[in-house]
Amino acid sequence: MKSKWALLVFLSYGVLLLLMSAFKTAELLLPQITWLEQTLGGDKWMHFKLSILLAVLACLASAQVLDLRPISRALVVFGVLLFALALDEAFQYGLASRRFELLDLAYGSAGLLCGTLGYFVVGTLRGNSSTSA
């Protein structure tokens, strides 16, 4: 039986990101969110870095629940995360407290791509059974 720790960590991180977005929309915890943005190098770099981690965690979790070849799994993970990111950014378009920014989408997408490819390449080079099975 495979451990489900990666799935739990991924889901927890995903919920944290959703909460951050909701809090920003509701204008709650703005000083803390602004601090995080500044700590990670600004708004755009925060999108990039948080997306890398999201993609890596999603790849780890998907290895436990999707019975697909590694490249297929990576494509599914990237596609699902890209859809979720685009949906979040599109949702902001209609909100008075937020605004849609194409650069946010671009930086987030680049982070997802880097995280997914990085996980796949490192796993393949290491011969890890979760990525090369």
Side-chain angles (χ1 to χ4, degrees), residues 10-80:
F10 165 69
L11 292 174
S12 299
Y13 184 70
V15 167
L16 176 68
L17 293 178
L18 287 172
L19 286 173
M20 278 180 44
S21 182
F23 288 158
K24 193 167 184 180
T25 299
E27 299 180 353
L28 299 171
L29 301 174
L30 289 179
Q32 291 79 5
I33 294 170
T34 301
W35 173 84
L36 181 61
E37 286 177 0
Q38 292 171 348
T39 301
L40 293 175
D43 177 55
K44 305 303 177 246
W45 287 111
M46 180 181 76
H47 280 84
F48 181 75
K49 292 172 183 177
L50 294 179
S51 293
I52 288 174
L53 182 55
L54 180 66
V56 169
L57 292 174
C59 287
L60 284 168
S62 71
Q64 296 176 357
V65 296
L66 294 177
D67 188 24
L68 298 171
R69 292 180 311 150
I71 191 68
S72 298
R73 215 172 43 243
L75 289 172
V76 167
V77 166
F78 179 75
V80 168

